[in-house]
Amino acid sequence: MRDFNLDQLQTFCDVIALGSFTAAAEKLNLSQPGVSLQIRQLERRLGVVLIERIGRRARPTAAGVELLGHAGQIEAVVSAALDGMARHATGAMGRVRLGTGATACTFLLPPILRELRRRFPTLEITVSTGNTSDMIKAIDENLLDLGLVSLPVSGRIFEITPVLEDEFVVIAPPEMRLPTRVTAAALSGLPVLLYEPGGNTRRIADEWFARGGVALKPVMSLGSVEAIKEMVGAGLGCAVLPGMAVSKDRNRDSFVVRPLSPRLHRTLAVVIRRDKLLHRGLRETVKALKALSEGAQGVEDDLAGYGSARSREKL
């Protein structure tokens, strides 16, 4: 690190990005000789030629191309270090950008975020919702810091930690008679509501029906789990939903719950880039999400107990 000047590195990147010493000088509010001097000093420090002029355009040499590859990482590390020092100076915990699905955001995250907020009042958390593919793309592009998404997720760049199995169930109006355990064939003759196409929740349900030999055409597809439950409560049909959406529902007396046969579940995982620099706020958020695996059994027991009680009541 001795004598390695970050301003010179930035000047080199600007010359290459803009294609000329003159344009870089204008951007940096320097004279053209001043820019040339910085490049010469950097080349002398590294012992290589970094820029060659082809016509009127400045282009990187082979060594320059390799240095450009390191420059982005150097900038990210320096930026993270400065942000970290700023947090120490102000007492702030930093910002965490979390991506997840709408169901997990509604039914899983609130107590976790409440506890994080209680423990770390200066921690800023922004939550974005969407399909798994969109969340993973945003994490890859560093638009999000981490995700709580449903598997499968692939990519060597990601650290993937499964934390929770969310079992799917059928919910139906109290007057709709269903068997104790519901098969795809049993649902084939009933009005079924499903989540809208395009996301993992719908894909998982469609694949379950296909494995059961049923090409189901739902009577209605909706983009909101809450809207689906309202429709079921109004007697418009039954629905296949993630268990977390009904296990602690305040209005679940308006519908009955049944398990699926064969069992159907999705796995939620915490996903983060392996090269992500974890400041304290991000580290504590990751820790809190990974702790979901410790409380998963309680949710399953709650759902199973409720389903059993309602089954006995309605049969």
Side-chain angles (χ1 to χ4, degrees):
M1 292 293 292
R2 288 185 60 187
D3 302 327
F4 189 82
N5 189 300
L6 295 176
D7 289 337
Q8 294 171 0
L9 179 63
Q10 183 60 57
T11 298
F12 162 70
C13 293
D14 287 338
V15 169
I16 298 302
L18 298 172
S20 76
F21 286 72
T22 301
E26 292 177 357
K27 176 185 176 183
L28 297 169
N29 197 27
L30 297 173
S31 66
Q32 183 173 333
V35 169
S36 299
L37 176 60
Q38 287 199 30
I39 298 301
R40 287 198 303 272
Q41 290 173 335
L42 181 61
E43 290 177 329
R44 188 179 306 118
R45 170 66 182 84
L46 299 176
V48 294
V49 176
L50 296 171
I51 295 176
E52 58 184 354
R53 289 181 175 84
I54 300 177
R56 302 180 63 180
R57 189 168 183 84
R59 297 185 181 276
T61 62
V65 169
E66 184 170 347
L67 181 59
L68 281 174
H70 294 296
Q73 299 177 47
I74 293 171
E75 180 183 5
V77 171
V78 171
S79 177
L82 294 175
D83 287 346
M85 296 306 99
R87 285 190 295 273
H88 282 290
T90 62
M93 287 284 291
R95 181 182 65 164
V96 173
R97 301 166 299 174
L98 169 63
T100 190
T103 305
C105 182
T106 302
F107 301 103
L108 197 59
L109 284 185
I112 297 172
L113 299 183
R114 182 177 63 243
E115 179 62 14
L116 283 170
R117 179 67 176 172
R118 183 190 69 80
R119 293 174 58 203
F120 311 109
T122 60
L123 175 61
E124 177 189 352
I125 301 180
T126 61
V127 181
S128 301
T129 59
N131 294 329
T132 291
S133 58
D134 296 331
M135 299 297 100
I136 292 302
K137 184 173 184 293
I139 295 169
D140 184 30
E141 296 175 351
N142 200 35
L143 300 176
L144 291 174
D145 298 309
L146 78 162
L148 178 64
V149 297
S150 55
L151 297 181
V153 172
S154 60
R156 293 182 179 179
I157 195 172
F158 299 119
E159 175 188 298
I160 303 168
T161 306
V163 293
L164 180 68
E165 280 198 1
D166 183 23
E167 185 157 355
F168 281 64
V169 296
V170 175
I171 66 171
E175 64 273 13
M176 182 178 288
R177 299 193 63 82
L178 292 173
T180 303
R181 298 189 67 84
V182 183
T183 64
L187 291 173
S188 62
L190 297 174
V192 178
L193 295 80
L194 292 178
Y195 200 74
E196 64 184 359
N200 270 1
T201 301
R202 176 60 181 271
R203 176 188 59 79
I204 291 170
D206 286 343
E207 290 176 354
W208 182 81
F209 279 106
R211 288 194 298 272
V214 174
L216 184 75
K217 292 184 178 180
V219 295
M220 196 177 300
S221 297
L222 298 98
S224 163
V225 169
E226 285 299 309
I228 292 175
K229 289 193 292 185
E230 289 294 324
M231 297 298 179
V232 171
L236 296 179
C238 57
V240 176
L241 290 177
M244 72 168 65
V246 300
S247 64
K248 297 184 182 298
D249 195 288
R250 297 175 182 175
N251 301 313
R252 61 189 187 183
D253 286 341
S254 63
F255 51 77
V256 295
V257 181
R258 296 288 188 274
L260 294 172
S261 180
R263 179 173 177 256
L264 176 65
H265 74 277
R266 61 176 180 167
T267 301
L268 297 184
V270 175
V271 179
I272 192 167
R273 284 181 62 115
R274 294 185 185 277
D275 58 356
K276 186 70 177 178
L277 295 172
L278 273 65
H279 58 73
R280 187 185 177 197
L282 180 54
R283 187 166 59 250
E284 292 291 347
T285 304
V286 170
K287 181 180 177 181
L289 291 176
K290 288 185 177 180
L292 280 169
S293 58
E294 301 172 6
Q297 189 59 48
V299 175
E300 292 180 4
D301 290 345
D302 178 78
L303 186 61
Y306 174 72
S308 298
R310 295 295 289 180
S311 295
R312 289 193 296 270
E313 179 183 332
K314 295 297 177 181
L315 285 177

